[in-house]
Coordinates of all heavy atoms in Angstrom, one line a residue:
M1232 N 157.0 49.2 23.3 CA 156.2 48.3 22.4 C 155.7 47.1 23.1 O 155.0 46.3 22.6 CB 156.9 47.9 21.2 CG 157.3 49.1 20.3 SD 155.8 49.7 19.6 CE 156.4 51.2 18.8
D1233 N 156.0 46.9 24.4 CA 155.5 45.8 25.1 C 154.1 45.8 25.5 O 153.4 44.8 25.8 CB 156.3 45.6 26.5 CG 157.8 45.2 26.1 OD1 158.0 44.5 25.2 OD2 158.7 45.6 26.9
T1234 N 153.5 47.0 25.5 CA 152.1 47.1 25.8 C 151.1 46.8 24.7 O 150.0 46.6 24.9 CB 151.8 48.6 26.3 OG1 152.1 49.5 25.2 CG2 152.6 48.9 27.5
E1235 N 151.6 46.7 23.4 CA 150.8 46.4 22.3 C 150.1 45.0 22.4 O 148.9 45.0 22.3 CB 151.6 46.5 21.0 CG 150.8 46.4 19.7 CD 150.0 47.6 19.5 OE1 150.4 48.7 19.9 OE2 148.9 47.5 18.8
P1236 N 150.8 43.9 22.7 CA 150.2 42.7 22.8 C 149.2 42.6 24.0 O 148.1 42.0 23.9 CB 151.3 41.6 23.0 CG 152.5 42.3 22.4 CD 152.3 43.8 22.6
T1237 N 149.6 43.3 25.1 CA 148.7 43.3 26.3 C 147.4 44.0 25.9 O 146.3 43.5 26.3 CB 149.4 44.0 27.4 OG1 150.6 43.3 27.7 CG2 148.6 44.0 28.7
T1238 N 147.5 45.1 25.2 CA 146.3 45.9 24.9 C 145.4 45.0 23.9 O 144.2 45.0 24.1 CB 146.7 47.2 24.2 OG1 147.5 47.9 25.0 CG2 145.5 48.0 23.8
M1239 N 146.0 44.3 23.0 CA 145.3 43.5 22.1 C 144.6 42.4 22.9 O 143.4 42.1 22.6 CB 146.2 42.9 21.0 CG 145.5 42.0 20.0 SD 146.6 41.2 18.9 CE 147.3 40.0 19.9
W1240 N 145.2 41.8 23.8 CA 144.5 40.7 24.6 C 143.4 41.3 25.5 O 142.4 40.6 25.6 CB 145.6 40.0 25.5 CG 146.4 39.0 24.7 CD1 147.7 39.1 24.3 CD2 145.9 37.8 24.2 NE1 148.0 38.0 23.6 CE2 147.0 37.1 23.5 CE3 144.7 37.1 24.3 CZ2 146.8 35.9 22.9 CZ3 144.5 35.9 23.7 CH2 145.6 35.3 23.0
L1241 N 143.6 42.4 26.0 CA 142.5 43.1 26.8 C 141.3 43.4 26.0 O 140.2 43.2 26.4 CB 143.0 44.3 27.5 CG 144.0 44.0 28.7 CD1 144.5 45.4 29.2 CD2 143.3 43.2 29.8
Q1242 N 141.6 43.9 24.7 CA 140.5 44.1 23.8 C 139.8 42.9 23.4 O 138.5 42.8 23.4 CB 141.0 44.8 22.6 CG 141.4 46.2 22.7 CD 142.0 46.8 21.5 OE1 142.4 46.2 20.6 NE2 142.0 48.2 21.5
L1243 N 140.5 41.8 23.2 CA 139.9 40.5 22.8 C 139.0 40.0 24.0 O 137.9 39.5 23.8 CB 141.0 39.5 22.5 CG 140.5 38.1 22.1 CD1 139.6 38.2 20.8 CD2 141.6 37.2 22.0
I1244 N 139.5 40.1 25.2 CA 138.8 39.6 26.4 C 137.5 40.4 26.6 O 136.4 39.9 26.9 CB 139.7 39.7 27.6 CG1 140.7 38.6 27.5 CG2 138.8 39.5 28.9 CD1 141.8 38.7 28.6
A1245 N 137.6 41.8 26.4 CA 136.4 42.6 26.5 C 135.4 42.3 25.4 O 134.2 42.3 25.7 CB 136.8 44.1 26.4
V1246 N 135.8 42.1 24.2 CA 134.9 41.8 23.1 C 134.2 40.4 23.4 O 133.0 40.3 23.2 CB 135.6 41.8 21.8 CG1 134.7 41.2 20.7 CG2 136.0 43.3 21.4
L1247 N 135.0 39.4 23.8 CA 134.4 38.1 24.1 C 133.5 38.2 25.2 O 132.4 37.5 25.3 CB 135.5 37.1 24.4 CG 136.4 36.7 23.1 CD1 137.5 35.8 23.6 CD2 135.5 36.1 22.1
G1248 N 133.8 39.1 26.2 CA 132.8 39.2 27.4 C 131.5 39.9 26.9 O 130.5 39.5 27.4
A1249 N 131.6 40.9 26.1 CA 130.4 41.5 25.5 C 129.6 40.5 24.7 O 128.3 40.5 24.8 CB 130.8 42.7 24.7
V1250 N 130.2 39.7 23.9 CA 129.5 38.6 23.2 C 128.8 37.6 24.1 O 127.7 37.2 23.9 CB 130.4 38.0 22.2 CG1 129.8 36.7 21.5 CG2 130.9 38.9 21.1
A1251 N 129.6 37.3 25.2 CA 129.0 36.4 26.2 C 127.8 37.0 26.9 O 126.8 36.3 27.1 CB 130.1 36.0 27.2
V1252 N 127.8 38.3 27.1 CA 126.7 39.0 27.7 C 125.5 39.0 26.8 O 124.4 38.8 27.2 CB 127.1 40.4 28.2 CG1 125.9 41.2 28.5 CG2 128.1 40.4 29.3
M1253 N 125.8 39.2 25.5 CA 124.7 39.1 24.5 C 124.0 37.7 24.5 O 122.8 37.7 24.6 CB 125.3 39.4 23.1 CG 125.5 40.8 22.7 SD 126.2 40.7 21.1 CE 126.3 42.4 20.7
L1254 N 124.8 36.7 24.4 CA 124.3 35.4 24.4 C 123.5 35.0 25.6 O 122.4 34.4 25.6 CB 125.4 34.4 24.1 CG 126.1 34.5 22.7 CD1 127.2 33.5 22.6 CD2 125.1 34.3 21.6
Y1255 N 124.1 35.4 26.8 CA 123.4 35.1 28.0 C 122.1 35.9 28.2 O 121.1 35.3 28.6 CB 124.3 35.4 29.2 CG 123.6 35.1 30.6 CD1 123.5 33.8 31.0 CD2 123.2 36.1 31.4 CE1 122.8 33.5 32.2 CE2 122.6 35.8 32.6 CZ 122.4 34.5 33.0 OH 121.8 34.2 34.2
G1256 N 122.1 37.1 27.7 CA 120.9 37.9 27.8 C 119.8 37.3 26.9 O 118.6 37.3 27.3
L1257 N 120.2 36.9 25.7 CA 119.2 36.3 24.8 C 118.7 35.0 25.4 O 117.5 34.7 25.3 CB 119.8 36.0 23.4 CG 120.1 37.2 22.6 CD1 120.9 36.8 21.3 CD2 118.9 37.9 22.2
Y1258 N 119.5 34.2 26.1 CA 119.1 33.0 26.7 C 118.1 33.3 27.9 O 117.1 32.6 28.0 CB 120.3 32.2 27.3 CG 119.9 31.0 28.2 CD1 119.5 29.9 27.6 CD2 120.0 31.1 29.5 CE1 119.1 28.8 28.3 CE2 119.7 30.0 30.3 CZ 119.2 28.9 29.7 OH 118.9 27.8 30.5
V1259 N 118.4 34.3 28.6 CA 117.4 34.7 29.7 C 116.1 35.2 29.2 O 115.0 34.8 29.7 CB 118.1 35.8 30.6 CG1 117.1 36.4 31.6 CG2 119.3 35.2 31.4
I1260 N 116.1 36.0 28.1 CA 114.9 36.4 27.5 C 114.1 35.2 27.0 O 112.9 35.1 27.2 CB 115.2 37.4 26.4 CG1 115.7 38.7 27.0 CG2 113.9 37.7 25.6 CD1 116.3 39.7 26.0
Y1261 N 114.8 34.3 26.4 CA 114.1 33.1 25.8 C 113.5 32.3 27.0 O 112.3 31.8 26.9 CB 115.1 32.2 25.0 CG 114.6 30.9 24.6 CD1 113.7 30.9 23.5 CD2 114.9 29.8 25.3 CE1 113.1 29.7 23.1 CE2 114.3 28.5 24.8 CZ 113.5 28.5 23.8 OH 112.9 27.3 23.3
Q1262 N 114.2 32.1 28.1 CA 113.7 31.4 29.2 C 112.5 32.1 29.8 O 111.5 31.4 30.2 CB 114.8 31.2 30.3 CG 115.9 30.3 29.9 CD 115.4 28.8 29.6 OE1 114.5 28.3 30.3 NE2 115.9 28.2 28.5
R1263 N 112.5 33.4 29.9 CA 111.3 34.1 30.4 C 110.1 34.0 29.5 O 109.0 33.8 30.0 CB 111.7 35.6 30.6 CG 112.7 35.9 31.6 CD 112.2 35.9 33.0 NE 111.2 37.0 33.1 CZ 110.5 37.2 34.2 NH1 110.7 36.5 35.2 NH2 109.6 38.2 34.2
V1264 N 110.3 34.0 28.2 CA 109.2 33.9 27.3 C 108.6 32.5 27.4 O 107.4 32.3 27.5 CB 109.6 34.2 25.9 CG1 108.6 33.8 24.8 CG2 110.0 35.7 25.7
Q1265 N 109.5 31.5 27.5 CA 109.0 30.1 27.6 C 108.3 29.9 29.0 O 107.3 29.2 29.0 CB 110.2 29.1 27.5 CG 110.8 29.1 26.1 CD 109.8 28.5 25.1 OE1 109.0 27.6 25.4 NE2 109.8 29.2 24.0
A1266 N 108.8 30.5 30.1 CA 108.2 30.3 31.4 C 106.8 30.9 31.5 O 105.9 30.4 32.1 CB 109.1 30.9 32.5
K1267 N 106.7 32.1 30.8 CA 105.4 32.8 30.8 C 104.4 32.2 29.7 O 103.2 32.6 29.7 CB 105.6 34.3 30.6 CG 106.2 35.0 31.7 CD 106.2 36.5 31.5 CE 106.2 37.2 32.7 NZ 106.0 38.7 32.4
D1268 N 104.9 31.3 28.9 CA 104.1 30.8 27.9 C 103.4 31.8 27.0 O 102.2 31.8 26.8 CB 103.1 29.8 28.4 CG 102.6 28.8 27.4 OD1 103.3 28.6 26.4 OD2 101.4 28.4 27.5
Q1269 N 104.2 32.8 26.6 CA 103.7 33.9 25.8 C 104.4 34.0 24.5 O 105.5 33.4 24.4 CB 103.8 35.2 26.6 CG 105.1 35.7 26.8 CD 105.2 37.0 27.6 OE1 104.4 37.2 28.5 NE2 106.1 37.9 27.2
G1270 N 103.9 34.7 23.6 CA 104.5 34.9 22.3 C 105.6 36.0 22.3 O 105.9 36.5 23.3
F1271 N 106.1 36.3 21.1 CA 107.1 37.3 20.9 C 106.4 38.6 20.6 O 105.9 38.8 19.5 CB 108.0 36.8 19.8 CG 109.3 37.6 19.6 CD1 110.4 37.2 20.4 CD2 109.4 38.6 18.8 CE1 111.5 37.9 20.2 CE2 110.5 39.3 18.6 CZ 111.6 38.9 19.4
G1272 N 106.3 39.4 21.7 CA 105.6 40.7 21.5 C 106.5 41.9 21.5 O 107.8 41.8 21.5
P1273 N 105.9 43.1 21.6 CA 106.7 44.3 21.6 C 107.7 44.4 22.8 O 108.8 44.9 22.6 CB 105.7 45.4 21.7 CG 104.4 44.8 21.4 CD 104.5 43.3 21.7
A1274 N 107.3 44.0 24.0 CA 108.2 44.0 25.1 C 109.4 43.1 24.9 O 110.5 43.5 25.3 CB 107.5 43.7 26.4
T1275 N 109.2 42.0 24.4 CA 110.3 41.1 24.1 C 111.2 41.6 23.0 O 112.4 41.5 23.2 CB 109.7 39.7 23.7 OG1 108.7 39.2 24.6 CG2 110.8 38.7 23.5
L1276 N 110.6 42.2 22.0 CA 111.5 42.8 21.0 C 112.3 43.9 21.6 O 113.5 44.1 21.2 CB 110.6 43.4 19.9 CG 111.3 44.0 18.7 CD1 112.1 42.9 18.0 CD2 110.2 44.5 17.8
K1277 N 111.8 44.7 22.5 CA 112.5 45.8 23.1 C 113.7 45.2 23.9 O 114.8 45.7 23.9 CB 111.6 46.7 24.0 CG 112.3 47.9 24.5 CD 111.3 48.7 25.3 CE 110.6 49.6 24.4 NZ 109.9 50.7 25.1
A1278 N 113.4 44.2 24.7 CA 114.4 43.5 25.5 C 115.5 43.0 24.7 O 116.7 43.1 24.9 CB 113.8 42.4 26.4
V1279 N 115.2 42.3 23.6 CA 116.2 41.8 22.6 C 117.0 42.9 22.0 O 118.2 42.8 21.9 CB 115.5 40.9 21.6 CG1 116.5 40.5 20.4 CG2 114.9 39.6 22.2
G1280 N 116.4 43.9 21.7 CA 117.1 45.1 21.1 C 118.1 45.7 22.1 O 119.2 45.9 21.7
V1281 N 117.7 45.8 23.3 CA 118.6 46.3 24.3 C 119.8 45.4 24.6 O 120.9 45.8 24.6 CB 117.9 46.7 25.6 CG1 118.8 47.0 26.8 CG2 116.9 47.9 25.4
V1282 N 119.4 44.1 24.7 CA 120.5 43.1 25.0 C 121.5 43.0 23.9 O 122.7 42.7 24.1 CB 119.8 41.7 25.2 CG1 120.8 40.6 25.1 CG2 119.1 41.7 26.6
L1283 N 121.1 43.3 22.6 CA 122.0 43.2 21.5 C 122.7 44.5 21.3 O 123.9 44.6 20.9 CB 121.3 42.8 20.2 CG 120.7 41.3 20.2 CD1 120.0 41.0 18.9 CD2 121.9 40.3 20.4
F1284 N 122.0 45.6 21.5 CA 122.5 46.9 21.1 C 123.6 47.5 22.1 O 124.6 48.0 21.7 CB 121.4 47.9 21.0 CG 121.8 49.2 20.2 CD1 122.1 49.1 18.9 CD2 121.7 50.4 20.8 CE1 122.5 50.2 18.1 CE2 122.0 51.6 20.1 CZ 122.4 51.4 18.7
I1285 N 123.4 47.3 23.4 CA 124.3 47.9 24.3 C 125.7 47.2 24.3 O 126.7 47.9 24.2 CB 123.7 47.9 25.8 CG1 122.6 48.9 25.8 CG2 124.8 48.2 26.8 CD1 121.9 49.0 27.1
P1286 N 125.8 45.8 24.2 CA 127.1 45.2 24.1 C 127.7 45.5 22.7 O 129.0 45.6 22.6 CB 126.8 43.7 24.2 CG 125.6 43.6 25.1 CD 124.8 44.8 24.6
T1287 N 126.9 45.8 21.7 CA 127.5 46.2 20.4 C 128.1 47.5 20.5 O 129.2 47.7 19.9 CB 126.3 46.2 19.4 OG1 125.8 44.8 19.2 CG2 126.9 46.6 18.0
I1288 N 127.5 48.4 21.2 CA 128.1 49.8 21.4 C 129.4 49.6 22.1 O 130.4 50.3 21.8 CB 127.2 50.7 22.1 CG1 126.0 51.0 21.3 CG2 127.9 52.0 22.5 CD1 124.9 51.9 21.9
L1289 N 129.5 48.7 23.2 CA 130.7 48.5 23.9 C 131.8 47.9 22.9 O 132.9 48.4 23.0 CB 130.5 47.5 25.0 CG 131.7 47.1 25.8 CD1 132.3 48.2 26.6 CD2 131.3 46.0 26.8
I1290 N 131.4 47.0 22.1 CA 132.4 46.4 21.2 C 132.9 47.5 20.2 O 134.1 47.6 19.9 CB 131.7 45.3 20.4 CG1 131.5 44.1 21.3 CG2 132.6 44.8 19.2 CD1 130.7 42.9 20.7
L1291 N 132.0 48.3 19.7 CA 132.4 49.4 18.8 C 133.4 50.4 19.5 O 134.4 50.9 18.9 CB 131.2 50.2 18.3 CG 130.4 49.4 17.2 CD1 129.1 50.3 16.9 CD2 131.2 49.2 16.0
A1292 N 133.1 50.7 20.8 CA 134.0 51.6 21.5 C 135.3 51.0 21.7 O 136.4 51.7 21.8 CB 133.3 51.9 22.9
I1293 N 135.4 49.7 21.8 CA 136.7 49.0 22.1 C 137.5 48.9 20.8 O 138.7 49.2 20.8 CB 136.5 47.6 22.7 CG1 135.9 47.8 24.1 CG2 137.8 46.8 22.7 CD1 135.4 46.5 24.7
I1294 N 136.9 48.5 19.7 CA 137.7 48.1 18.5 C 137.8 49.3 17.5 O 138.5 49.1 16.5 CB 137.2 46.9 17.9 CG1 135.8 47.0 17.3 CG2 137.3 45.7 18.8 CD1 135.3 45.8 16.6
T1295 N 137.0 50.3 17.7 CA 137.1 51.5 16.7 C 137.6 52.7 17.4 O 137.8 52.7 18.6 CB 135.7 51.7 16.1 OG1 134.8 52.2 17.1 CG2 135.2 50.5 15.3
N1296 N 137.8 53.7 16.6 CA 138.3 55.0 17.1 C 137.2 56.0 17.1 O 137.4 57.2 16.7 CB 139.4 55.5 16.3 CG 140.7 54.7 16.4 OD1 140.9 54.1 17.5 ND2 141.5 54.5 15.4
F1297 N 136.0 55.6 17.5 CA 134.8 56.5 17.6 C 135.1 57.6 18.6 O 135.8 57.3 19.7 CB 133.6 55.8 18.0 CG 132.8 55.2 16.9 CD1 131.8 54.3 17.2 CD2 133.1 55.5 15.6 CE1 131.1 53.7 16.2 CE2 132.4 54.9 14.6 CZ 131.4 54.0 14.9
Q1298 N 134.7 58.8 18.4 CA 134.8 59.9 19.4 C 133.8 59.7 20.5 O 132.8 59.0 20.3 CB 134.7 61.2 18.7 CG 135.7 61.5 17.7 CD 135.5 62.9 17.0 OE1 134.5 63.5 17.3 NE2 136.4 63.3 16.2
S1299 N 134.1 60.2 21.6 CA 133.1 60.1 22.7 C 131.7 60.6 22.4 O 130.8 60.1 22.9 CB 133.7 60.7 24.0 OG 133.9 62.1 23.8
E1300 N 131.7 61.7 21.6 CA 130.4 62.3 21.2 C 129.5 61.3 20.5 O 128.3 61.2 20.6 CB 130.6 63.6 20.4 CG 131.2 64.7 21.2 CD 132.7 64.7 21.2 OE1 133.3 63.8 20.5 OE2 133.3 65.5 22.0
T1301 N 130.2 60.5 19.6 CA 129.5 59.5 18.8 C 128.9 58.4 19.7 O 127.7 58.0 19.6 CB 130.4 58.9 17.7 OG1 130.9 60.0 17.0 CG2 129.6 57.9 16.9
L1302 N 129.7 58.0 20.6 CA 129.3 56.9 21.6 C 128.1 57.4 22.4 O 127.2 56.7 22.8 CB 130.4 56.4 22.4 CG 131.5 55.6 21.5 CD1 132.7 55.3 22.4 CD2 130.9 54.3 21.0
A1303 N 128.3 58.7 22.9 CA 127.2 59.3 23.7 C 125.9 59.4 22.9 O 124.8 59.2 23.5 CB 127.6 60.7 24.2
A1304 N 126.0 59.7 21.6 CA 124.7 59.8 20.8 C 124.1 58.4 20.7 O 122.9 58.3 20.8 CB 125.1 60.4 19.4
L1305 N 124.9 57.4 20.5 CA 124.4 56.0 20.4 C 123.8 55.6 21.7 O 122.7 55.0 21.7 CB 125.5 55.0 20.0 CG 126.0 55.2 18.6 CD1 127.2 54.3 18.4 CD2 124.9 54.8 17.6
L1306 N 124.4 55.9 22.8 CA 123.8 55.5 24.1 C 122.5 56.3 24.4 O 121.6 55.8 25.0 CB 124.8 55.8 25.2 CG 125.9 54.7 25.3 CD1 127.0 55.1 26.3 CD2 125.4 53.3 25.6
G1307 N 122.5 57.6 23.9 CA 121.3 58.4 24.1 C 120.1 57.8 23.3 O 119.0 57.8 23.7
T1308 N 120.4 57.2 22.1 CA 119.4 56.6 21.3 C 118.9 55.4 22.0 O 117.7 55.1 22.0 CB 120.1 56.1 19.9 OG1 120.6 57.3 19.3 CG2 119.0 55.5 19.1
V1309 N 119.8 54.6 22.6 CA 119.3 53.4 23.4 C 118.4 53.9 24.6 O 117.4 53.2 24.8 CB 120.5 52.6 23.9 CG1 120.1 51.5 24.8 CG2 121.2 52.0 22.7
A1310 N 118.8 54.9 25.3 CA 118.0 55.4 26.4 C 116.7 55.8 26.0 O 115.7 55.5 26.6 CB 118.8 56.5 27.1
G1311 N 116.6 56.5 24.9 CA 115.3 57.0 24.3 C 114.4 55.8 23.9 O 113.2 55.8 24.1
Y1312 N 115.1 54.8 23.4 CA 114.3 53.6 23.0 C 113.8 52.8 24.2 O 112.6 52.4 24.2 CB 115.3 52.7 22.2 CG 114.6 51.4 21.7 CD1 113.6 51.3 20.8 CD2 115.1 50.2 22.2 CE1 113.1 50.1 20.3 CE2 114.6 49.0 21.8 CZ 113.6 49.0 20.9 OH 113.1 47.8 20.5
V1313 N 114.6 52.7 25.2 CA 114.2 52.0 26.4 C 113.1 52.7 27.2 O 112.2 52.1 27.7 CB 115.4 51.7 27.3 CG1 115.0 51.1 28.7 CG2 116.4 50.7 26.6
L1314 N 113.3 54.0 27.3 CA 112.3 54.8 28.1 C 111.0 55.2 27.4 O 110.1 55.7 28.0 CB 113.0 56.1 28.6 CG 114.2 55.8 29.5 CD1 114.9 57.1 29.9 CD2 113.8 55.0 30.8
S1315 N 111.0 55.0 26.1 CA 109.7 55.3 25.3 C 108.7 54.2 25.6 O 109.0 53.0 25.8 CB 110.0 55.3 23.8 OG 110.3 54.0 23.3
N1316 N 107.4 54.6 25.7 CA 106.4 53.7 26.0 C 105.7 53.2 24.7 O 105.0 52.2 24.8 CB 105.4 54.2 27.0 CG 104.7 55.5 26.5 OD1 104.9 55.9 25.4 ND2 103.9 56.1 27.4
G1317 N 105.8 53.9 23.6 CA 105.3 53.4 22.4 C 103.8 53.6 22.2 O 103.2 53.1 21.3
K1318 N 103.1 54.2 23.2 CA 101.7 54.4 23.1 C 101.3 55.8 22.7 O 102.0 56.7 23.2 CB 101.0 54.1 24.5 CG 101.2 52.7 24.9 CD 100.5 52.5 26.3 CE 100.8 51.0 26.7 NZ 100.2 50.8 28.1
S1319 N 100.4 56.0 21.8 CA 100.0 57.3 21.5 C 98.7 57.7 22.3 O 97.9 56.9 22.6 CB 99.6 57.4 20.0 OG 98.5 56.6 19.7
D1320 N 98.7 59.0 22.7 CA 97.6 59.5 23.5 C 96.4 59.9 22.7 O 95.4 60.2 23.2 CB 98.1 60.7 24.4 CG 99.1 60.2 25.4 OD1 99.0 59.0 25.8 OD2 99.9 61.0 25.8
G1321 N 96.5 60.0 21.3 CA 95.5 60.5 20.5 C 94.4 59.6 20.3 O 93.3 59.5 20.5

């Protein structure tokens, strides 16, 4: 039973790290938008979505008992979102 507190601390550190990555990613996106003096457009929205969604999946993988198939489906959703161009050829 000595590994239980250690596991809890490692989970806490991983979750705090993921939250730190989220906040830093949002800060970088904000700085880029300010530097380019542009508005909040589709590319910015996609970047914000990725910066928030991937660490959230990591947090869910750490603190819940999701099966690997569920996490793979969520990551596949993110990959499809990132790789889609959003333009119709019609």
